[in-house]
Amino acid sequence: AAGRVIAFDVRARGADTAGYARILRSSVHGDEIEDVVVRVVPEPRVHARCLNAQTFACYSWGPGRSIITIPALPAGEVREALLHEYGHHLDSLGDTPRWWAARRIGARLRSGQVATDYSLGWSRTVGEVFAEDYMSLHIRGASLIRWLPPPSAAVLRALRRDIIALRPAPPADPGAPVGNDGITRISQSGRVGRGQVLEVPVALTGPDFYVAAVVGPDPAYDEVPVEIEVTCDDIGPGTATAAPGRIAWVQVGPVGPGTCTVRVSGPATAAGGVVVEVTAGPGSAGVPTGEDPGGASERMRSGMRHA
């Protein structure tokens, strides 16, 4: 009724977009819903898109529109995951002081009950508690956070008030492309196996581009370490090592116009491999955050709002 646009990037047949739209339309939200694209992919492709073999859905964010990736399943089967990921979208936008106080997050941080990263596990990460509480705002009793009491009516009222107070979305550029093209003008993925090298040249057509390489374990291979190097004109290389079975990423920028080269290499002596995704576009490329319905998830973010 408010005339807001909900954008879908459908890459799978049989996607229940009307059902997904009903879930979002009936959720607690504001103008920020126009800042996110729901990307629908075949269920087997979710792991590759989210770079996590155990992930059911994930969220990544960047300037303009961010992306929620979900599998092309009936809406009823993805409702909890879609709401949880939308909670991450809200969490990325600004402060939620009423919820923070109602959940006593400051005290819990000081006492070591929760952390702003995954050092204490998925269920004790502040961002995951927030996303599960947002999902519980719509589906009571469905939270996977077991060590905390379910969010009380007071917690849910505080969360609702914080959402209403979040900043409005900036005016949309009617000429801006929607979906992947609006965030990553260049996108390429691949795999690196034993003793292999993946080298991706990236041509930057304008200024202030960022180039990112994200590497995660490939469930089809054993776990191995790999070296990541991103080299751009007139900028020293950005490097990282992806430890076996872990996720790593390198981002370089702002750069351009010019060229960059992304090089990911695996050891010749190890039988294993990884999934690689290379993106480039104006503004920070953003890093996906994956959600495992079993609770063992790795959140790939460059920083958290509560940090």
Side-chain angles (χ1 to χ4, degrees):
R4 301 182 181 108
V5 173
I6 301 176
F8 293 92
D9 177 7
V10 180
R11 304 187 178 195
R13 294 178 180 175
D16 186 8
T17 51
Y20 312 145
R22 280 194 299 271
I23 293 169
L24 293 174
R25 186 168 61 241
S26 62
S27 69
V28 180
H29 66 271
D31 289 347
E32 82 288 332
I33 202 166
E34 295 198 339
D35 290 344
V36 68
V37 172
V38 179
R39 176 173 293 162
V40 187
V41 301
E43 187 176 11
R45 290 292 301 157
V46 171
H47 297 163
R49 289 296 315 173
C50 296
L51 296 174
N52 189 327
Q54 296 177 310
T55 273
F56 184 76
C58 62
Y59 171 74
S60 61
W61 85 104
R65 287 186 172 96
S66 301
I67 296 175
I68 292 172
T69 300
I70 61 171
L73 296 174
E77 296 182 27
V78 302
R79 184 185 178 205
E80 293 181 11
L82 180 55
L83 289 169
H84 179 103
E85 302 307 334
Y86 195 82
H88 282 309
H89 178 53
L90 291 166
D91 185 42
S92 74
L93 295 178
D95 292 332
T96 51
R98 300 172 185 87
W99 172 85
W100 185 278
R103 267 302 200 186
R104 299 179 56 248
I105 298 299
R108 296 185 192 281
L109 281 168
R110 290 190 294 272
S111 66
Q113 289 185 328
V114 296
T116 57
D117 56 24
Y118 285 85
S119 58
L120 299 179
W122 179 88
S123 68
R124 292 180 181 267
T125 305
V126 174
E128 301 299 347
V129 175
F130 180 91
E132 285 292 279
D133 279 5
Y134 177 77
M135 188 263 294
S136 296
L137 186 60
H138 308 87
I139 311 174
R140 297 301 295 270
S143 175
L144 294 174
I145 307 293
R146 305 302 186 197
W147 68 274
L148 264 178
S152 65
V155 169
L156 296 180
R157 281 196 302 272
L159 177 57
R160 184 186 292 267
R161 290 180 64 194
D162 280 336
I163 295 169
I164 293 171
L166 284 172
R167 63 124 176 103
D173 175 4
V178 174
N180 186 63
D181 289 340
I183 298 172
T184 55
R185 300 291 175 83
I186 302 161
S187 181
Q188 181 169 336
S189 61
R191 284 172 169 78
V192 174
R194 177 177 60 186
Q196 295 179 338
V197 175
L198 176 68
E199 193 165 281
V200 181
V202 180
L204 306 179
T205 58
D208 298 326
F209 270 58
Y210 286 78
V211 179
V214 184
V215 173
D218 188 334
Y221 290 93
D222 293 330
E223 297 173 351
V224 297
V226 294
E227 299 293 327
I228 313 166
E229 182 178 271
V230 181
T231 306
C232 298
D233 296 334
D234 303 322
I235 291 184
T239 61
T241 299
R246 307 295 292 178
I247 294 166
W249 70 291
V250 174
Q251 180 171 275
V252 174
V255 292
T259 58
C260 296
T261 301
V262 176
R263 180 182 175 89
V264 180
S265 55
T269 56
V274 296
V275 177
V276 181
E277 178 154 334
V278 176
T279 59
S284 173
V287 189
T289 165
E291 310 311 331
D292 170 13
S297 170
E298 177 105 18
R299 192 177 198 186
M300 293 162 42
R301 296 186 61 167
S302 60
M304 291 186 61
R305 182 199 40 91
H306 291 305

